[in-house]
Amino acid sequence: ALRMIISNAATHSDDGHRRMVMINDVRRAYFYAKIQRDVYVDLPKEDPAFGTGMLGKLKLCLYGTRDAAKGWQETLSSHLEGIGFVRGVGHPSVFWHPEKLICTLVHGDDYVSSGSSVSMTWLEAELSKAYELQTQKLGLGSGLQAEGKVLNRIVRCTDAGWEIEADPRHAELVVEQLGLLDEKGVATPGVSGNDEEDTEEDVELRGDDITRYRGVIARCNYLGADRPDCLFAIKEGCREMSKPTTGSLRRLRRIGRYLKRFPRLVWRYDMQCEQGELTVRTDADWAGCRRSRKSTSGGTISDGSHCLKAWAKTQAVIAKSSAESELYGVVRGACEGLGVKTLFEDLGREMGVRL
């Protein structure tokens, strides 16, 4: 959804003006949500009744309570709907304002919106009436920042359009945790054929080595959403999390060496006219796994020249032929395309799907 917000900002508006992106961080967000059940807490020392055996009954959600996240979601949704937004049906964390033409994504206490400068000024004023905010406005105009950070990603406005990339610190941590600071980088995140298999000398990892492997590959998995060049290698590493071996660690170190050589990958969203169709591209690696003989489905979804999503998933069943594996890949692509189409509808755009 974040890439769709950026894609919307990189799409020419009807009036010819460039859209801007606004990032709002609500301070102490959970304290704005009313609690929906009876919850009692010990009184703090600052309360005059402290030590008398009395308890306090919560009126608002407290951080750490089960109701906090749900209560805040309902609070922010009610507020946005009250000022004219329409909440997404398939994706309830996105909102669309049909009059102001604003696309908004809310993740936790972070709002990310795209629209005209006038509509962003109006939205900031409405949010400030309800919450205490910290705001970043991104764009090329006076008083706007060229770069901002949201959801562990860097968003950047350029003359050609917009850019988004993962926080480079994630790649740096992978390299650091694997002890690769003095190692040379490699050109690919993985290898194929016999080179990817365990050898007779490889054994299962033990103790802290298992914990370290799982922690690093989990970070890579988080990074994978923004690094389609590593998706396949990371996916294969995640399949070995239950019983990693020294071979698994060797393959993970190769991913780390690749990230050392290419620590950044920037998604470019050059300015374009509004598109009416999503392009879904799929492929399949028939029996690519030499151990299970399972295939992998991969693909991308684009809105014009804007790539919105990429995936690499192991197929659940063993395909008996390359045609069968390709069919499974196409079905996966169709499902992903329909999901993105639904998200576009929640953001006020009707899109077709070309597979």
Side-chain angles (χ1 to χ4, degrees), residues 49-63:
F50 175 76
T52 62
M54 302 288 289
L55 296 175
K57 182 179 179 180
L58 294 180
K59 293 183 178 180
L60 301 175
C61 289
L62 191 67
Y63 279 81

Side-chain angles (χ1 to χ4, degrees), residues 20-52:
M20 59 177 288
V21 172
M22 183 172 68
I23 302 169
N24 305 104
D25 180 16
V26 179
R27 297 181 177 178
R28 300 180 294 276
Y30 287 174
F31 292 148
Y32 292 102
K34 293 182 178 180
I35 201 158
Q36 302 297 319
R37 60 192 178 99
D38 293 338
V39 177
Y40 298 87
V41 297
D42 291 330
L43 295 175
K45 294 181 179 180
E46 295 79 9
D47 194 285
F50 175 76
T52 62

Side-chain angles (χ1 to χ4, degrees), residues 81-96:
E81 290 174 333
I83 59 176
F85 279 87
V86 178
R87 188 178 185 181
V89 176
H91 304 79
S93 61
V94 301
F95 299 83
W96 161 248

Side-chain angles (χ1 to χ4, degrees), residues 315-326:
Q315 295 179 2
V317 298
I318 299 176
K320 305 301 190 297
S321 67
S322 59
E324 184 179 351
S325 68
E326 292 287 354

Side-chain angles (χ1 to χ4, degrees), residues 286-305:
W286 179 45
C289 179
R290 299 174 66 88
R291 288 164 291 174
S292 66
R293 308 313 296 175
K294 287 185 177 181
S295 308
T296 296
S297 298
T300 63
I301 299 178
S302 302
D303 173 21
S305 63

Side-chain angles (χ1 to χ4, degrees), residues 149 151-154 165-177 216 218-224 226-227 256 259 263:
K149 189 175 180 181
L151 304 180
N152 283 320
R153 292 167 177 85
I154 298 172
E165 63 175 297
D167 188 340
R169 182 59 181 155
H170 290 299
E172 294 171 4
L173 284 172
V174 171
V175 173
E176 180 181 325
Q177 291 170 357
V216 175
R219 183 179 294 278
C220 291
N221 192 37
Y222 178 84
L223 182 63
D226 298 299
R227 294 296 301 257
L259 292 176

Side-chain angles (χ1 to χ4, degrees), residues 277-281 300-304 306 351-355:
E277 189 177 66
L278 293 170
T279 301
V280 182
R281 299 176 175 89
T300 63
I301 299 178
S302 302
D303 173 21
H306 300 166
M351 300 287 284
V353 178
R354 180 163 61 92
L355 186 60

Side-chain angles (χ1 to χ4, degrees), residues 170-244:
H170 290 299
E172 294 171 4
L173 284 172
V174 171
V175 173
E176 180 181 325
Q177 291 170 357
L178 290 173
L180 301 174
L181 295 177
D182 298 325
E183 296 281 341
K184 293 178 62 177
V186 294
T188 61
V191 292
S192 60
N194 292 328
D195 292 336
E196 69 177 337
E197 295 298 306
D198 284 358
T199 64
E200 294 180 357
E201 290 77 21
D202 287 320
V203 296
E204 291 186 12
L205 297 179
R206 302 291 181 185
D208 293 341
D209 289 337
I210 296 179
T211 302
R212 183 163 67 101
Y213 177 87
R214 289 171 177 168
V216 175
I217 195 62
R219 183 179 294 278
C220 291
N221 192 37
Y222 178 84
L223 182 63
D226 298 299
R227 294 296 301 257
D229 54 333
C230 302
L231 265 180
F232 179 82
I234 292 173
K235 183 263 295 184
E236 290 297 303
C238 289
R239 294 177 64 198
E240 302 181 71
M241 287 182 71
S242 60
K243 295 180 66 175

